[in-house]
Amino acid sequence: MTYEAGSYDCIVVGAGHAGCEAALAAARMGCKTLLVTLNMDNIALMPCNPSIGGPAKGHLVREIDALGGEMGRNIDDTYIQIRMLNTGKGPAVHALRAQADKYAYQRRMIYILQGQDNLNVKQLLVERILVSDDKRVEGIETSTGAIFRSPAVILCTGTYLRGKIIVGEVSYWGGPNNQHAAMNLSHNLRELGIELGRFKTGTPARVDRRSIDFNQMLIQPGDEKEHYFSFLTERGTGYNIPCYLAYTNENTHTVIRSNLHRSPLFSGVIEGTGPRYCPSIEDKVVRFADKERHQLFLEPEGMGTYEIYVQGMSSSLPEEVQMQFLRTIKGMENMEMMRTGYAIEYDYVVPTQLGLSLEMKHISGLFCAGQINGTSGYEEAAAQGLMAGINAALKVKGRPPLILKRSDAYIGVLIDDLVTKGTNEPYRMMTSRAEYRLILRQDNADLRLTEKGWEVGLVTAERYARFKQKKEQLEAEMKRLKETIVTPSYQELAKLLEERNSSPLRQGIYLYDLLKRTEITYQDLINVGLAAELPEDIKEQIDIQIKYEGYIAKQMSQVERFEKLENRVIPTDLDYYGIQGLSNEAKQKLASIRPTSVGQASRISGVSPADVSVLLIYLEQRRRQGGIDA
C-alpha cells in the first residue's frame, strides 16, 4: 500500500558528501527540500580515508566554499591536522589537506542539516523514482509505501546501488561500513532506460593505535601555521595530531604473492573496474613487481577513538591474510586489527547521459551527483552535489542553469570530463586534468566564483560583503603599486636589496615592477615602510598576480581562444547523421552525447579535428541561412 506523504520543491536521495551539499544548496536558495538517507547516523560518513583535500581535491573544496557550500567550513571546524602541500612548487599546484576527526565532522554536518531552514531530513529507503509518461520526474516512493512528490530529484546514492562487500572468499550485499544496499532502486533506474555500469572501490583495515610502535616510523606533523579551506574561517581548531609514515617490505610482498589465489581481485570474483590512482595493495605488488617497498601513512580517525587508518593498504584479501601482512610492517609486529579492509562493488550511472547541469538528458528534473556518476572521493562528490543542488533549485525557479566552464573552475573541468568524455574507471580529480590550472589556483577561488554564487542566490550577504571588501582592497593596492615610484635614495630599501643580493636601484622604479623580482615580497615592502599591513590572503594575491603576470596573461589568451569555441552553440536537436563529411564514429558519438557547444564537441573521444572543422563549416552555413544564431 502506498500513501501521499508530502510535496517538496526538491528531493535529495542520499546524505553522503554529495547529498549534504545538494540539500543545503537547494534549501538555502529558498526551495522546500527533503533529504532522504538510509541511516541518519551515517550522514556525511567518511567510510574511507579520514581526510579532506590534497592535490586538486583541495582546489575543489575551496571552490565549493567560494560558491557558498559547506564542506570547507565543516573541515575547518573539525580537523586534527592541516598541511599545505607542494609548497616547493608553483602556486598553481599548492594544495591544502586536512586530517579530519571523522566523527566530529559527521556530528557538525548533521547539526547543520537538521537546523537548516527549508530542509527536512528523513531516514527512509527509496525504492523507485516516479516519472511521468512524458519523461518528467514526479517524486519518489519508499519501502514503507510513502510517496513524496517533487519536480526535481537529485540522486546522490554513492556506492549503495546494488552494493556488494567482498573480503576474500566472503561476499554479501551491503553498503560501506556494513550498511544496507539499495537493491530495488538500481533495478528501477534500469527500467527507466538509464544505462548503469559497475565499479569497484575498497578500503584498508583500521588498527588499534595502542598496538603500534610509532617510534619505528617517521613522524608526519601538520604545519605550525594555520590554514583554512573556507574564506570565512578566522580560526581553526588548533590541533596538530601527527600521522606516521611506514613502508611495506619483501616479507609483506611475499605474504601477498603467496595468497593471490585467494584474492577476489585476481580470482574473477570482482567484476567492477577499480580506481587507477588508489589501487589495492595486492594490485600494487603485482603491477609494480620491481618495487622493493610501498609507502603507507598511518592516520588517526579522530580524537575520541583508538582507530588508525592504514592509507595505502586497501585490500580485499581474506581477513587472516590481512592480519598476517600488516604484522610484517616495522612497528606493527604486534598490531591488532579493529576493522577488516574490504572491496565494494556498486552500480553507477554512465555519466554521458547527463547534461552539463548534471540533469539527466532524457528525464526532465532528474539530477545525479557524486559517486553515482562514476567518480571517487569525497571532494569530487561534494562539488557535484553542490552544482546539482544549485541547478535543481534554478530549474524549479524557472531560471537557466549555472554551468561552470573549464576556464572557470576545477568543478567545471570535473563535470565537463564526466559528461563529455565519460569514464571507464572511478574518476579522480588531478591538477593535470586542468589545462588552465595557473588561473584556477586554490588561493583565488573566491575571486573566480563568489560573484557567481551571489548571482544564483547561494552566497550570503555577509560573505558577499566580505568578498567585496577584499576585492576592493586588492584592486586599490594594486593601483597604488602601479602608480608609486621609489627612488635609489630610499635607504631602507637599499639595505634590503643588498641583503637579498638583489640589484641596486639605478633610477626610480614603480613598486609594482619592484615586486616582479623573485627575491622581494609584499611583506618586504611593509617591513621597509613602503606598504601598509594587509590581510594575509590579500598579500598572497599581490605577490602571485605580480610575479606570475606574464604566465597568467599567456594563459588568459589561451582562454580567449577556448571561449570562441565554447561560445559556438550547437542546437540540441541537430541531426548529425545528415551532416556530410563527418566520420561515422563522430556522428554516433555526437548524437549520443549531444554537446551544447563546438568546444564540448571537440573534447568527445572519437571526434577528430577534421570532424570539428566540418561541424564549424556546417554551423556557419546554417547561420548564414538563418537557421541558428552565431
Side-chain angles (χ1 to χ4, degrees):
M1 293 290 290
T2 61
Y3 71 98
E4 296 291 331
S7 296
Y8 292 86
D9 295 320
C10 295
I11 296 175
V12 180
V13 180
H17 302 280
C20 290
E21 295 292 349
L24 287 170
R28 288 169 175 172
M29 289 173 66
C31 291
K32 183 184 176 185
T33 304
L34 171 65
L35 175 60
V36 177
T37 176
L38 279 168
N39 189 333
M40 294 281 281
D41 298 327
N42 284 340
I43 289 173
L45 178 70
M46 289 182 164
C48 202
N49 58 314
S51 68
I52 295 291
K57 291 170 176 282
H59 291 68
L60 290 174
V61 181
R62 275 266 170 131
E63 291 177 352
I64 290 166
D65 180 75
L67 286 164
E70 193 63 32
M71 178 175 266
R73 282 181 285 183
N74 212 62
I75 186 60
D76 283 349
D77 206 47
T78 58
Y79 71 78
I80 59 176
Q81 183 202 104
I82 195 161
R83 296 174 65 194
M84 187 68 76
L85 307 180
N86 297 333
T87 54
K89 301 179 181 178
V93 294
H94 290 180
L96 198 55
R97 185 181 189 272
Q99 288 299 131
D101 183 321
K102 62 187 292 183
Y103 301 108
Y105 187 95
Q106 280 189 270
R107 287 194 301 272
R108 185 187 181 278
M109 189 65 84
I110 291 170
Y111 183 78
I112 294 295
L113 289 164
Q114 292 180 349
Q116 176 63 48
D117 292 341
N118 296 323
L119 179 59
N120 286 345
V121 186
K122 296 182 183 292
Q123 180 172 297
L124 296 164
L125 172 61
V126 176
E127 301 273 65
R128 294 176 59 225
I129 307 299
L130 305 178
V131 177
S132 65
D133 291 339
D134 60 348
K135 295 295 183 179
R136 293 181 181 276
V137 156
E138 293 184 332
I140 61 172
E141 181 181 328
T142 73
S143 59
T144 59
I147 290 178
F148 295 92
R149 302 288 180 181
S150 177
V153 173
I154 308 172
L155 294 180
C156 303
T157 54
T159 60
Y160 287 84
L161 284 182
R162 265 192 344 118
K164 189 177 187 180
I165 302 293
I166 304 168
V167 182
E169 296 91 351
V170 177
S171 65
Y172 53 91
W173 300 110
N177 270 20
N178 285 324
Q179 296 302 304
H180 291 297
M183 306 299 289
N184 291 339
L185 181 57
S186 193
H187 298 308
N188 172 240
L189 295 181
R190 283 192 171 88
E191 291 171 354
L192 293 173
I194 297 172
E195 182 185 356
L196 302 182
R198 192 84 169 154
F199 276 164
K200 165 259 176 188
T201 188
T203 189
R206 272 63 160 183
V207 300
D208 190 331
R209 70 173 299 120
R210 295 166 297 184
S211 64
I212 301 171
D213 182 2
F214 292 110
N215 292 321
Q216 298 191 59
M217 301 176 181
L218 295 174
I219 191 169
Q220 300 281 301
D223 291 348
E224 291 299 325
K225 179 184 177 182
E226 283 276 340
H227 303 289
Y228 316 117
F229 280 101
S230 176
F231 292 94
L232 295 181
T233 301
E234 295 180 349
R235 186 173 65 182
T237 67
Y239 289 125
N240 190 352
I241 307 302
C243 298
Y244 293 87
L245 176 64
Y247 292 93
T248 63
N249 52 57
E250 188 52 41
N251 289 336
T252 318
H253 302 173
T254 298
V255 171
I256 292 169
R257 288 192 193 101
S258 62
N259 284 280
L260 285 177
H261 64 285
R262 302 183 66 191
S263 168
L265 190 64
F266 294 99
S267 66
V269 172
I270 291 177
E271 300 172 3
T273 305
R276 177 189 299 266
Y277 302 102
C278 189
S280 65
I281 187 63
E282 53 264 40
D283 196 18
K284 284 192 280 190
V285 168
V286 171
R287 284 167 54 190
F288 307 106
D290 57 320
K291 279 189 172 284
E292 295 180 358
R293 64 180 190 174
H294 297 280
Q295 68 178 15
L296 312 170
F297 290 96
L298 276 74
E299 303 173 342
E301 297 236 303
M303 300 293 286
T305 177
Y306 289 105
E307 285 186 271
I308 296 288
Y309 178 90
V310 189
Q311 188 195 120
M313 221 154 193
S314 172
S315 179
S316 58
L317 281 163
E319 185 173 275
E320 68 273 21
V321 178
Q322 292 187 39
M323 293 181 66
Q324 189 179 351
F325 68 60
L326 282 166
R327 286 175 175 164
T328 65
I329 309 299
K330 192 174 182 180
M332 296 179 68
E333 293 86 353
N334 299 310
M335 175 278 312
E336 290 294 338
M337 191 162 68
M338 299 178 80
R339 301 194 201 209
T340 307
Y342 61 86
I344 180 170
E345 281 191 326
Y346 57 95
D347 289 345
Y348 73 97
V349 168
V350 175
T352 52
Q353 299 168 99
L354 305 171
L356 289 167
S357 67
L358 295 180
E359 183 179 15
M360 192 68 64
K361 291 174 183 174
H362 73 284
I363 301 178
S364 177
L366 181 60
F367 295 78
C368 296
Q371 283 188 270
I372 190 176
N373 289 344
T375 59
S376 67
Y378 310 141
E379 303 85 357
E380 290 90 340
Q384 294 172 71
L386 179 75
M387 297 307 297
I390 289 172
N391 287 325
L394 291 173
K395 184 178 182 70
V396 169
K397 294 171 179 287
R399 296 173 58 188
L402 173 63
I403 305 297
L404 297 179
K405 299 188 292 292
R406 298 182 72 89
S407 56
D408 290 331
Y410 270 78
I411 296 175
V413 175
L414 166 66
I415 294 175
D416 184 69
D417 277 355
L418 288 173
V419 307
T420 302
K421 303 174 183 178
T423 184
N424 56 10
E425 61 189 28
Y427 179 100
R428 178 179 179 176
M429 193 71 240
M430 296 181 291
T431 53
S432 59
R433 296 189 191 274
E435 56 269 52
Y436 308 116
R437 56 186 171 274
L438 186 54
I439 59 176
L440 302 183
R441 305 184 309 276
Q442 55 95 28
D443 60 82
N444 69 355
D446 57 338
L447 298 174
R448 292 185 279 116
L449 298 173
T450 297
E451 192 78 48
K452 296 179 186 294
W454 173 253
E455 289 169 0
V456 299
L458 183 55
V459 163
T460 64
E462 176 201 359
R463 178 189 285 268
Y464 190 62
R466 289 179 60 169
F467 163 72
K468 290 289 283 184
Q469 181 183 23
K470 172 183 175 178
K471 189 176 179 184
E472 288 166 3
Q473 279 185 290
L474 175 61
E475 290 173 350
E477 184 59 7
M478 292 289 273
K479 183 174 184 292
R480 188 190 75 85
L481 293 170
K482 289 179 179 179
E483 295 174 348
T484 304
I485 295 177
V486 61
T487 64
S489 62
Y490 195 88
Q491 292 301 310
E492 291 297 318
L493 178 60
K495 291 178 185 177
L496 174 68
L497 295 178
E498 186 178 356
E499 290 171 4
R500 299 291 171 82
N501 293 319
S502 187
S503 300
L505 297 185
R506 303 298 181 193
Q507 59 186 24
I509 186 174
Y510 287 103
L511 294 181
Y512 187 92
D513 293 324
L514 180 64
L515 281 176
K516 290 182 179 179
R517 299 188 180 191
T518 56
E519 64 273 15
I520 305 299
T521 67
Y522 186 81
Q523 185 61 51
D524 291 327
L525 297 190
I526 296 173
N527 295 341
V528 298
L530 289 171
E533 187 62 63
L534 287 171
E536 285 294 324
D537 55 346
I538 296 180
K539 291 190 288 187
E540 180 184 36
Q541 279 303 305
I542 290 171
D543 278 329
I544 291 174
Q545 289 190 23
I546 293 176
K547 294 187 189 307
Y548 291 87
E549 179 186 42
Y551 299 104
I552 292 171
K554 183 177 180 181
Q555 193 141 102
M556 290 304 296
S557 67
Q558 294 172 345
V559 170
E560 288 176 13
R561 292 194 295 272
F562 162 79
E563 296 284 355
K564 290 179 181 178
L565 287 181
E566 294 303 303
N567 291 334
R568 293 300 302 270
V569 176
I570 300 177
T572 55
D573 60 349
L574 193 64
D575 179 13
Y576 293 101
Y577 289 98
I579 301 177
Q580 293 184 352
L582 282 180
S583 69
N584 288 332
E585 183 180 6
K587 290 177 181 178
Q588 180 185 355
K589 295 289 182 65
L590 290 165
S592 172
I593 293 173
R594 292 279 163 196
T596 58
S597 70
V598 175
Q600 187 185 4
S602 69
R603 294 188 293 276
I604 297 173
S605 175
V607 177
S608 69
D611 293 318
V612 173
S613 296
V614 169
L615 188 57
L616 281 167
I617 292 169
Y618 179 81
L619 292 174
E620 180 60 20
Q621 290 174 342
R622 278 196 46 162
R623 184 190 69 80
R624 292 179 179 178
Q625 295 167 5
I628 57 173
D629 295 332

